[in-house]
Amino acid sequence: MKLMTDEEVQNLIKSNQPIEIWSYGASKTLDENLVKILDQLAEKYQISELSSILFTIVKDLVLNGFKANFKRLFFLENHLDISSPADYELGVRMYKSLILAGKGNQFEEKAKNIGLYVKTKIEMLDDEIKFEVKNNSALVRGEMQKIRNSLLHAQNYNDIMEYYIERGDNSEGEGIGIALCVILLKGENLPTENFRIFHEDGETIAQLKIPIKKH
């Protein structure tokens, strides 16, 4: 991935065509490209106060996509069946230990080689900006249930620390990130029903729609 210039970002936004970023692992270049795109979008639609919040949400969704892809690779390499509850519990504990040891980045090249991607798509529509973050690792039932629980329960909180203390799950961290996204949207009085996570055609899709006013 190459670093986009300000002019390239401006031309993309002016074209009103969907912006797509394909990535296989976290990088400084990815972060800088996202910042440039979101800052210029926020300026165009006069929602500069949302720029940092949008970056936090989109970045978290992208990282969740990487984590899901890397977890699949880890299970494959260790001959564990991700759809088996017993294997899943064991595999998640092993995988978390690997991440805590700072060895998660070893999977980026492997993900690229076998085509496990994260695609960020930004569409500028008449009355909203639509963000979609897709990865091609389908969720298993237990993962989808955790996500639904996080989306549901986060509606009752206004502070992420309060959520973490009361509902934090030590097995995996995705729930906290998803709850943070909901709480950030609530803090800006944005409709949380516009934030969805679902799976379709072998992809896990996180979708966020931000209403905009026509100028």
Side-chain angles (χ1 to χ4, degrees):
M1 177 185 297
K2 73 179 186 68
L3 183 64
M4 299 170 69
T5 66
D6 290 338
E7 186 178 2
E8 285 173 328
V9 174
Q10 286 170 9
N11 290 337
L12 275 173
I13 291 174
K14 282 179 183 176
S15 74
N16 244 34
Q17 295 300 307
I19 299 170
E20 292 187 356
I21 301 173
W22 294 73
S23 49
Y24 301 89
S27 69
K28 183 180 177 184
T29 301
L30 172 61
D31 287 355
E32 290 180 1
N33 284 341
L34 283 175
V35 167
K36 286 182 178 182
I37 292 167
L38 294 173
D39 280 354
Q40 290 199 34
L41 274 176
E43 184 179 347
K44 175 179 179 178
Y45 293 106
Q46 298 179 22
I47 51 171
S48 295
E49 72 281 2
L50 298 181
S51 180
S52 61
I53 288 170
L54 289 176
F55 175 76
T56 300
I57 293 174
V58 173
K59 171 79 178 291
D60 186 76
L61 297 176
V62 169
L63 289 178
N64 277 350
F66 295 146
K67 192 186 298 183
N69 287 347
F70 295 171
K71 188 164 65 177
R72 265 66 185 170
L73 281 169
F74 179 82
F75 272 70
L76 284 171
E77 289 187 354
N78 288 276
H79 309 290
L80 294 166
D81 180 2
I82 201 164
S83 61
S84 158
D87 276 9
Y88 186 82
E89 186 178 345
L90 172 64
V92 164
R93 286 204 304 269
M94 293 167 61
Y95 178 68
K96 186 176 181 182
S97 297
L98 188 81
I99 297 300
L100 290 174
K103 298 179 180 177
N105 288 340
Q106 66 180 273
F107 293 109
E108 180 178 345
E109 196 62 32
K110 296 174 184 177
K112 189 172 185 177
N113 288 339
I114 67 169
L116 284 179
Y117 57 78
V118 174
K119 182 173 78 170
T120 306
K121 183 178 181 181
I122 304 170
E123 290 184 89
M124 294 149 278
L125 306 174
D126 286 343
D127 56 356
E128 66 187 16
I129 307 171
K130 184 167 80 170
F131 301 88
E132 281 192 345
V133 179
K134 300 182 178 183
N135 67 282
N136 55 338
S137 293
L139 294 166
V140 297
R141 182 177 298 177
E143 290 174 316
M144 192 69 239
Q145 191 57 52
K146 280 187 178 184
I147 288 170
R148 286 175 178 152
N149 287 342
S150 295
L151 288 169
L152 176 65
H153 294 302
Q155 301 287 343
N156 301 319
Y157 294 86
N158 296 309
D159 182 88
I160 191 61
M161 283 306 298
E162 184 183 355
Y163 179 94
Y164 178 76
I165 290 166
E166 294 186 11
R167 307 204 65 91
D169 179 353
N170 289 326
S171 63
E172 296 183 78
E174 290 95 330
I176 298 297
I178 290 165
L180 174 62
C181 295
V182 173
I183 290 167
L184 287 173
L185 292 172
K186 285 180 65 183
E188 295 296 329
N189 295 313
L190 291 167
T192 55
E193 62 268 23
N194 284 3
F195 177 45
R196 302 170 56 218
I197 298 177
F198 55 100
H199 48 83
E200 186 176 85
D201 298 331
E203 292 181 314
T204 300
I205 304 167
Q207 185 183 88
L208 172 64
K209 297 177 181 178
I210 300 295
I212 53 174
K213 295 176 183 176
K214 293 182 180 180
H215 300 294

